[in-house]
Amino acid sequence: MEQPEYIQQRLRELFDSQNLAVLATHNIGQPYASLVAFVATEDLRHIYFVTPKTTRKFANLSKDHRVAILVNSSTNQAEDFHRAISVTAVGNAEEITGAQRNQILKQYLAKHPHLEDFVKSPTCALVRLTPRSYYMVKNFQTVMELHINP
Amino acid sequence: MRWIIPASKVEPQDQRRIGGKGYALASLFKGGFTIPETLCIPSDLYGEYVIRTGLRERILLELHRKDFKEMRWEEIWDCATRIRNMFLRMPIPAEIDTSLKAEIEFRFSGKSTAVRSSAPEEDTAYSSFAGLHESYLNVRGTDAILEHIRKVWASLWSDAALLYRQELGLDVEKSSMAVVIQEIVVGDRSGVAFSENPANPSQGVIESVYGLNQGLVDGAVEPDRWILDRRRQTIVSHTPTTRKYWMVPDEIGIKLEALPVTKSNQPPLDPKDVLEVFQLVCRAEDFFNAPQDLEWTYKEKTLFVLQSRPITTVAIDESGDKRSWYLSLHRSFENLKSLRQKIEEELIPAMIVEADNLAAIDEATLSDLDLVEEVKRRWEINHKWVNIYWEEFIPFAHGVRLFGQVYNDVLHPEDPYEFIDLLAHTDMASLERNRKLEELAGFIRNDQSLAHLLKNREYKSIPQEFIRKIEGFIDKYGDLTCSVTGGTHCDQEAEPLFNILLEMAAHPIIAMHDRKSVHNDELKQKFLNCFEGDRKIEAAEMLDLARTSYQLRDDDNIYLGRIESYLLAAIREARRRAENPKTRQSSGSQTRALVDVLSELDHRSKSLNPYEKKQGQTFQIKPRQLIGQPAGPGIARGKARVIQQHSDLSDFKHGEVLICDAVDPNMTFVVPLATAVVERRGGMLIHGAIIAREYGLPCVTGIPDATSLIQTGDEITVDGYLGIVTVGSADV
């Protein structure tokens, strides 16, 4: 059961089913958590989100690329404790500009069409997170790690 | 919302809420049958209780610790035990409690009652699974009745129900349980009646015993039996029995007693009574419009219906389905007592004689043809004992579980496995072996030159006195290289044994866990003080039986292992000869006979590790936290030693964490060196858990991929309180 393919499939299902993720950045050692609308690539190598450039999260990740992001399927019910899956990704974040930006935004808007006006603003940054590792929690306390070789 | 409904007030729309049993009783009452005073507790109350107390979520968590498909019966039993303890310890919320009390007090003050399960589906979809849920007899007093309502609710999640969860559609979010409280009519004669004989539709059947019906239903009392002709309403035959016992009420519950001689000479029913009972069950058949299976009792001259349900003939024991066998492991105290006698007085002495007889024949001296015969003979002997092991020894292990349930019932401990502390420190053969090992290690510890010789493998210079001690150990316990318990013929080399001894000698003396010996006495007193008079004597007997059961759980493997080792020795000798025919004077046909007998025996030689390892390429997975069952309290950290095959054990180093597929008693010699134990096989009462507790080591069992996900050398933290194994450090 605990094979890489199985875990990758669970990750894809989770990322498809969820719109929002919690992003963790820091400012000189002070952790800061914020909510972002994200999309993950099929091969799980990248996670994209958008943010106004005026935000704390953007300032923080511009200063230090190291971030973590958490996606989970909880529904605020007692059942969450055994049913929900939670995934933390740890890696580096960077802003994407130029032609690549438009190309990726198409994928992004396919999942979040209502954000079209938002992303088209010149003050909105597209950020790419490249995870090194995923940490998947299920059945309340079972934790598996998935490490990505560069 | 009505939380309590008298049988006389039940309406048709209440059918689902009060369950099959309750509804059938209410219908009988309305149909003019004589039934004992009856109250129904509808299933809504169960729902209210588990939601208000938060038990619903706790059950959900408990049931989702692990995929059911990967759970062994032992783990299911453990799961049911923990859930049951939650119900035992969680009172009914005060506002509900108050409204129930008044009605129960009014109906049953000073009376003895039966508190029975009445699952909503029972007697329809549940009909094939009668008896999966609990009923309690002779419950007296309002508080006791309320407590037993909780026990009946808990039995919705009994091990039996969990085993048949798919067929029952058992679901935490949907399943619930109604309860029937019924006055016990202390009948002097009781029984069951089938309006139609399942074996012959033209007949009916009546079975009857003296005293309470429970004696018959449990199988503790053998009944008289009558076959009747349905059409003519006449008796076809009567099969009497030797009437020895009857079940009678005592202060709390019921007990089995010798039947007075005046009664044992005559059947419980005369022909007139037999016909009256038969007319009753036929009337019930007409009333329900289906053949009925009816429980009845006579109190003096009045005939009461205790319950009635449609006859079902659905067989649940399909081929390959072991569940009914698991359920047959639930043995009564009486049954276990006689099983113990048989095991201690007949089976174990016979196993020892068998092994000694096998030892008398040296396979190396046999001719090829005699060896072929000897291999076959030993295979038969081993096979016979393996069967006896499954039929007699494994069911006897239920003595521990029976005791655990009684202990939890009277003491409601926070830890449902507290009772195991009372069973530990018995003289298990594997512990005796480990003490002997420690003794041998002691010689090396105190003798630098001996340690030096062993380290440098200068075996020829080892003093004879020490060699004799080693030989004595090997004779009794084997050389530890054999993957069969107690095997003595696996390897002539004592090197693996020396490795272990050197490792033990290099570290301080390992004391048996001397925790709680005072605590044990207190626990014992606490347990026994819950009983009075005869009950106290019975409780002490039950504890004694449980201790024997606990000890045999390990020892039987040692005896069985000796027998198996002789089979293996003969097989090894045959294989050696078959592989080297040219070096010996042996005809082609003799060699073929050896080859044939070897291929005939598809003997076990498989690796201990059933999991295939796969290397991820782009993506690599690593475990971080693995969840199992907390089977021995404590927390410890150390390097993992994953046992893929038996020979890995001789590399075991002091302070390592033992990670294995399934511990059996022949592997537990490394446990004194270990800092914690992790096992793939699950359960609180398995060998690994038992021995870990004896040494006071943290233990987690039931981690499905333990031996494939964890690698030797991994840094492991074993949390024996929560059942969590953490791999590696906290770095990301």
Side-chain angles (χ1 to χ4, degrees):
Chain A
M1 183 188 82
E2 303 293 7
Q3 300 295 344
E5 299 73 30
Y6 172 83
I7 294 178
Q8 287 170 56
Q9 194 49 37
R10 296 288 85 73
L11 293 184
R12 283 188 201 103
E13 286 164 12
L14 177 70
F15 293 161
D16 287 347
S17 70
Q18 300 297 316
N19 288 322
L20 298 175
V22 176
L23 176 74
T25 57
H26 79 99
N27 177 26
I28 325 172
Q30 170 58 58
Y32 183 72
S34 47
L35 213 53
V36 294
F38 76 97
V39 64
T41 55
E42 181 70 12
D43 63 6
L44 303 175
R45 287 188 170 263
H46 301 296
I47 292 172
Y48 294 98
F49 59 88
V50 294
T51 171
K53 294 181 184 178
T54 52
T55 55
R56 279 203 178 83
K57 58 180 163 283
F58 190 73
N60 288 353
L61 68 86
S62 302
K63 271 187 271 177
D64 190 335
H65 296 315
R66 293 174 303 160
V67 299
I69 198 163
L70 178 139
V71 184
N72 84 101
S73 61
S74 63
T75 56
N76 207 26
Q77 307 284 323
E79 287 76 8
D80 290 342
F81 286 93
H82 71 272
R83 198 171 283 164
I85 287 180
S86 172
V87 170
T88 299
V90 171
N92 289 328
E94 60 187 324
E95 186 186 354
I96 302 296
T97 53
Q100 215 188 345
R101 183 181 194 272
N102 291 333
Q103 199 186 336
I104 292 162
L105 276 180
K106 272 186 204 153
Q107 287 173 41
Y108 185 84
L109 288 172
K111 185 173 176 186
H112 305 286
H114 52 288
L115 293 181
E116 184 157 6
D117 293 343
F118 180 70
V119 303
K120 282 189 174 157
S121 159
T123 54
C124 190
L126 171 69
V127 180
R128 175 168 73 192
L129 163 56
T130 307
R132 271 197 316 280
S133 303
Y134 288 104
Y135 302 86
M136 184 173 88
V137 186
K138 56 175 190 163
N139 296 77
F140 186 48
Q141 282 292 326
T142 300
V143 186
M144 293 297 296
E145 301 179 0
L146 187 73
H147 298 291
I148 302 172
N149 297 334
Chain B
M1 181 69 64
R2 285 183 304 157
W3 279 333
I4 196 156
I5 312 173
S8 57
K9 300 270 172 63
V10 169
E11 302 294 337
Q13 65 268 23
D14 293 323
Q15 182 168 6
R16 245 203 95 68
R17 303 171 62 211
I18 63 169
K21 196 175 284 169
Y23 193 71
L25 282 163
S27 306
L28 284 166
F29 178 81
K30 293 202 168 156
F33 290 82
T34 309
I35 64 163
E37 173 95 78
T38 301
L39 278 182
C40 299
I41 309 279
S43 56
D44 333 22
L45 188 66
Y46 168 89
E48 196 70 27
Y49 167 78
V50 293
I51 287 169
R52 285 205 201 183
T53 55
L55 272 191
R56 186 169 163 274
E57 285 71 36
R58 288 177 62 194
I59 297 167
L60 272 171
L61 264 182
E62 181 59 49
L63 293 177
H64 286 84
R65 288 178 77 88
K66 188 170 178 181
D67 188 343
F68 250 119
K69 287 191 285 298
E70 299 191 60
M71 280 170 87
R72 304 162 66 235
W73 175 71
E74 281 91 334
E75 292 175 86
I76 289 175
W77 189 86
D78 288 335
C79 188
T81 299
R82 284 191 286 262
I83 293 176
R84 189 167 191 278
N85 219 44
M86 292 177 197
F87 280 86
L88 287 177
R89 289 174 56 81
M90 183 64 75
I92 297 173
E95 58 276 27
I96 303 176
D97 192 74
T98 320
S99 68
L100 294 182
K101 264 184 172 157
E103 186 74 25
I104 292 172
E105 190 85 36
F106 172 68
R107 302 263 170 184
F108 299 117
S109 179
K111 291 179 182 168
S112 167
T113 65
V115 183
R116 298 178 193 271
S117 59
S118 180
E121 294 84 351
E122 203 166 31
D123 299 327
T124 55
Y126 268 53
S127 54
S128 326
F129 306 103
L132 292 190
H133 305 305
E134 300 283 346
S135 287
Y136 295 89
L137 292 182
N138 201 14
V139 182
R140 281 168 188 275
T142 307
D143 289 337
I145 290 174
L146 286 168
E147 186 184 321
H148 283 82
I149 291 174
R150 283 186 280 137
K151 285 187 188 171
V152 171
W153 284 341
S155 75
L156 182 59
W157 309 102
S158 70
D159 59 330
L162 290 173
L163 276 173
Y164 287 99
R165 67 201 169 273
Q166 272 162 356
E167 287 87 339
L168 299 178
L170 202 56
D171 178 342
V172 180
E173 278 140 75
K174 295 186 195 117
S175 297
S176 62
M177 172 75 87
V179 180
V180 168
I181 311 170
Q182 204 175 29
E183 182 187 350
I184 287 204
V185 176
V186 183
D188 33 30
R189 298 160 299 152
S190 315
V192 295
F194 292 84
S195 63
E196 186 180 298
N197 184 352
N200 182 346
S202 70
Q203 298 175 335
V205 183
I206 290 172
E207 292 183 336
S208 176
V209 296
Y210 281 106
L212 298 176
N213 210 20
Q214 204 60 25
L216 192 165
V217 176
D218 288 351
V221 183
E222 198 61 36
D224 275 52
R225 193 165 206 260
W226 288 265
I227 301 287
L228 293 104
D229 185 304
R230 272 168 65 85
R231 197 169 53 79
R232 295 200 189 94
Q233 296 274 304
T234 51
I235 298 171
V236 176
S237 66
H238 170 213
T239 314
T241 182
T242 47
R243 305 171 198 99
K244 288 184 190 159
Y245 302 103
W246 62 341
M247 198 66 93
V248 291
D250 67 357
E251 313 89 70
I252 43 156
I254 53 173
K255 65 177 175 186
L256 195 65
E257 269 193 355
L259 188 67
V261 185
T262 48
K263 293 189 189 297
S264 63
N265 293 332
Q266 54 184 338
L269 301 181
D270 64 28
K272 193 171 113 314
D273 298 333
V274 172
L275 290 176
E276 190 184 14
V277 171
F278 194 57
Q279 279 151 15
L280 178 75
V281 71
C282 291
R283 194 149 69 84
E285 174 177 319
D286 289 344
F287 182 72
F288 287 112
N289 215 6
Q292 294 291 298
D293 157 4
L294 182 143
E295 288 185 32
W296 53 267
T297 197
Y298 267 114
K299 185 178 185 182
E300 285 141 21
K301 286 287 151 196
T302 311
L303 179 57
F304 287 87
V305 179
L306 302 177
Q307 64 168 303
S308 185
R309 62 185 167 208
I311 292 176
T312 50
T313 50
V314 185
I316 55 174
D317 191 11
E318 292 154 24
S319 61
D321 186 349
K322 280 194 100 172
R323 294 177 297 183
S324 58
W325 184 80
Y326 291 131
L327 295 181
S328 77
L329 296 180
H330 285 263
R331 301 292 173 104
S332 69
F333 183 44
E334 295 302 322
N335 182 303
L336 288 167
K337 276 204 287 196
S338 58
L339 201 51
R340 172 189 186 169
Q341 198 176 1
K342 185 171 179 189
I343 286 173
E344 288 187 328
E345 290 171 19
E346 285 174 40
L347 296 176
I348 287 185
M351 278 172 113
I352 292 169
V353 169
E354 191 87 86
D356 289 348
N357 289 342
L358 287 169
I361 297 174
D362 182 356
E363 58 279 347
T365 63
L366 298 175
S367 73
D368 283 1
L369 290 180
D370 285 346
L371 180 60
V372 167
E373 289 312 309
E374 185 64 11
V375 167
K376 286 184 191 163
R377 189 178 78 92
R378 291 187 186 185
W379 191 88
E380 291 296 336
I381 289 171
N382 185 60
H383 186 68
K384 177 184 95 180
W385 284 105
V386 167
N387 282 341
I388 291 173
Y389 176 77
W390 282 89
E391 281 162 19
E392 314 276 7
F393 287 79
I394 293 212
F396 185 62
H398 188 67
V400 172
R401 300 199 165 92
L402 178 75
F403 173 72
Q405 181 146 342
V406 171
Y407 185 91
N408 288 348
D409 272 7
V410 294
L411 286 169
H412 304 178
E414 193 177 336
D415 168 12
Y417 283 89
E418 185 177 274
F419 72 90
I420 294 177
D421 285 344
L422 265 179
L423 309 180
H425 294 297
T426 47
D427 295 322
M428 292 191 290
S430 55
L431 293 179
E432 178 59 25
R433 176 203 56 205
N434 287 4
R435 274 192 288 272
K436 285 275 188 298
L437 270 179
E438 180 51 48
E439 224 175 276
L440 291 171
F443 287 110
I444 303 172
R445 193 180 287 122
N446 296 327
D447 187 342
Q448 293 284 331
S449 64
L450 178 58
H452 183 80
L453 292 173
L454 288 171
K455 256 180 230 158
N456 294 312
R457 304 184 180 185
E458 294 169 31
Y459 300 139
K460 285 184 182 148
S461 315
I462 296 172
Q464 277 304 309
E465 191 196 339
F466 187 71
I467 294 280
R468 268 196 299 278
K469 285 192 197 316
I470 290 286
E471 282 170 356
F473 178 88
I474 291 178
D475 268 352
K476 192 155 183 203
Y477 299 107
D479 57 18
L480 308 186
T481 60
C482 187
S483 62
V484 170
T485 317
T488 57
H489 286 63
C490 293
D491 197 334
Q492 297 308 314
E493 296 294 323
E495 199 176 308
L497 175 56
F498 291 155
N499 286 348
I500 291 290
L501 289 175
L502 279 169
E503 190 63 24
M504 289 176 84
H507 295 277
I509 296 169
I510 301 143
M512 283 289 298
H513 195 42
D514 63 351
R515 68 186 164 147
K516 304 178 187 164
S517 54
V518 178
H519 172 68
N520 282 4
D521 289 341
E522 283 171 14
L523 277 190
K524 183 177 171 181
Q525 281 318 314
K526 194 167 82 169
F527 171 67
L528 293 178
N529 286 343
C530 298
F531 304 91
E532 281 175 0
D534 287 354
R535 287 263 161 191
K536 195 172 208 148
I537 295 165
E538 194 183 301
E541 279 177 8
M542 200 173 274
L543 171 60
D544 186 52
L545 181 109
R547 284 183 165 157
T548 307
S549 164
Y550 184 81
Q551 180 186 346
L552 269 171
R553 183 89 188 83
D554 241 45
D555 289 3
D556 52 13
N557 281 263
I558 303 238
Y559 298 118
L560 186 64
R562 263 192 84 198
I563 291 173
E564 193 179 359
S565 76
Y566 291 109
L567 168 63
L568 291 183
I571 289 175
R572 209 171 10 258
E573 177 67 19
R575 192 167 288 144
R576 191 183 63 76
R577 294 189 196 181
E579 282 165 6
N580 307 294
K582 285 180 190 145
T583 60
R584 298 162 37 255
Q585 292 189 329
S586 172
S587 76
S589 66
Q590 285 172 350
T591 304
R592 202 167 314 118
L594 286 168
V595 172
D596 287 350
V597 76
L598 288 171
S599 62
E600 223 174 89
L601 309 174
D602 179 29
H603 204 76
R604 69 170 196 190
S605 58
K606 61 177 189 286
S607 152
L608 290 173
N609 179 18
Y611 295 95
E612 199 185 333
K613 283 216 175 85
K614 275 192 193 165
Q615 290 296 325
Q617 285 135 15
T618 318
F619 292 89
Q620 273 188 333
I621 57 164
K622 272 177 60 188
R624 168 64 182 161
Q625 276 187 192
L626 300 172
I627 298 294
Q629 277 192 46
I635 181 160
R637 191 174 170 80
K639 283 209 159 54
R641 172 70 58 182
V642 182
I643 307 302
Q644 304 286 4
Q645 39 213 319
H646 195 83
S647 56
D648 295 340
L649 287 165
S650 66
D651 296 326
F652 204 94
K653 297 288 179 295
H654 183 268
E656 289 182 331
V657 177
L658 174 64
I659 314 267
C660 60
D661 188 59
V663 175
D664 63 68
N666 69 314
M667 292 171 71
T668 52
F669 59 88
V670 296
V671 170
L673 289 170
T675 188
V677 176
V678 175
E679 187 169 339
R680 176 195 62 82
R681 196 168 58 156
M684 297 290 292
L685 298 170
I686 57 173
H687 302 298
I690 287 176
I691 196 95
R693 269 191 298 266
E694 292 287 345
Y695 285 96
L697 301 178
C699 177
V700 175
T701 68
I703 294 185
D705 300 307
T707 54
S708 57
L709 288 173
I710 301 171
Q711 312 281 327
T712 290
D714 282 348
E715 227 8 271
I716 300 284
T717 308
V718 180
D719 182 339
Y721 296 104
L722 293 174
I724 298 177
V725 174
T726 309
V727 186
S729 67
D731 304 345
V732 293

